[in-house]
Amino acid sequence: MVDQNPASGKPLGVENHEELSHIAVTQQQFAQATRFIASMKAGLIDFLNVPKRSLTVCFPIEMDDGSVRTYHGHRVVHNRVLGPGKGGIRFHPAVTLDEVQSLAALMTWKCALVGVPFGGAKGGVVCNPKELSESELRRITRRFTSEISPFIGPYIDIPAPDLYTNAQTMAWIYDTYDILHAGRNNRAVVTGKPPDLGGSAGRAQATGLGVLFATEHMLGNGIVADLLSLAGARVVIQGFGDVGAVAASAFTGAGAKIIGISDSQGGIVNPEGLDLDAARAHKKQTGTLVGTPGTINVSNAELLEIDCDILVPAATSFQITADNAERIKTRVVVEGGNAPITLQADAILNQRGVVVIPDILANAGGVTVSYFEWVQNNQNESWELDEVIQKLRRMMHRAVDDTYQRWQSLRAQAAPSEDPAQISLRTAALVVAIERVVKVTLERGIWP
Ligand code: GLU
């Protein structure tokens, strides 16, 4: 399946010949940031730019009708300098090794930025969960886990939920790994588990809540002159999964007005503010938000172009491209999902003065509570929800402050050849993260 441009419906890259290799985009963002890192030892750029280990597996699954299908999956560890690999496993028809490698690199920078002691990793299985039964999904999960099992572990590489995987998927991964490695506490091999299997309170809401904390605190820092809080802000959210649906409620609780939301089938709009309970009830009844009474139906492409204060893409990657970036009418984009903006679109938004709160900051709440879960599992403890949320808020605020301060100093100290206005929050966040990984790499020393 080829990703499509939401604006034109054409395969991505057709109109503007934009570079759309996921890993190339991540590496170019990395290159933009390393220009500002003076302490970069020669050769380290190459090391930090490539995944440490890429594993591709193919395996047969017996389907419910008795036929056999071969599935392909990947698990990539980008970097392990700060600790074991950490990152989700996604089930999606568009999964490619290129995408998984790019997302693993994002995890390295996300973990470093938010300050959790993990490296970056990611995994994916090429499949369409919407067309699979629960027992087929269980067999795919167990077989994939067994294939990657020598390379994961509580201190090696720790998977978590991602696109179209959830607590149930994590329970199957844990169970499979535990059967293959009996006789020890294996709970910390995977995070995002069901609560009665060692899952942390708050993990399911963590990414969406983190999006709220990052946005609120960045606005509070004054990133947009006349938008200092969410009170009364008009918000559009693309994606109504674990991130988008939680963020919609959380933003409403903070006083924002949600005027547009969408799922994979389309969007709904009400300029006066949506009734989220009614939208949820409609989705539960019909399988989609589209058609919720009292709302206007729009396509996902149209949703992105609604005039609003804050736009939260919380679905799949490459949604804002060179083809629609000029038409995005928001003041702030908050990347709830990973890599929703292409390189050219990023530059266009920056030039137009649209602030982008980047994925490695905005959606770091998920991996932060995954870290809390890992700590609780290792200590055989269980923390209360309010303790988790308080700790999450503190860590998100710290990451926002570190990014904001670095952004200010990068702009203030820009060389005469640089246009300070072109230095984005994404570059600042990456500079903070890369500097941390570089420092620890040099402290540990290059082996042997
Ligand atoms: N899949 C999530 C992400 O992209 C969470 C990863 C984790 O919890 O390890 O950040």
Side-chain angles (χ1 to χ4, degrees), residues 86-88 107 110 122 158 160-162 191 203 338 363 366-367 370:
K86 187 86 193 79
M107 286 308 301
K110 196 184 292 187
K122 202 73 165 198
I158 306 145
D162 201 87
T191 58
R203 177 60 186 84
N338 287 315
N363 69 39
V367 77
S370 275

Side-chain angles (χ1 to χ4, degrees), residues 59-69 71 91 125-144 169 172:
F59 51 89
I61 293 294
E62 192 169 68
M63 310 305 287
D64 289 348
D65 65 4
S67 65
V68 176
R69 265 196 226 160
Y71 284 88
F91 286 178
V125 176
V126 189
C127 66
N128 188 351
K130 289 182 181 168
E131 291 171 0
L132 294 163
S133 71
E134 171 149 325
S135 60
E136 287 168 337
L137 277 172
R138 190 185 65 240
R139 290 196 289 279
I140 290 172
T141 306
R142 284 195 184 282
R143 183 65 192 253
F144 178 62
T169 326
W172 292 328

Side-chain angles (χ1 to χ4, degrees), residues 215 218-225 227-228 332 355 357 404 407 425:
T215 309
M218 195 54 97
L219 293 181
N221 271 320
I223 194 85
V224 183
L227 190 66
L228 291 169
V332 184
V355 171
I357 305 183
Y404 184 73
W407 178 74
L425 283 176

Side-chain angles (χ1 to χ4, degrees), residues 42 54 113-114 154 294 321 357 425 433 448:
S54 300
L113 179 64
V114 83
T321 69
I357 305 183
L425 283 176

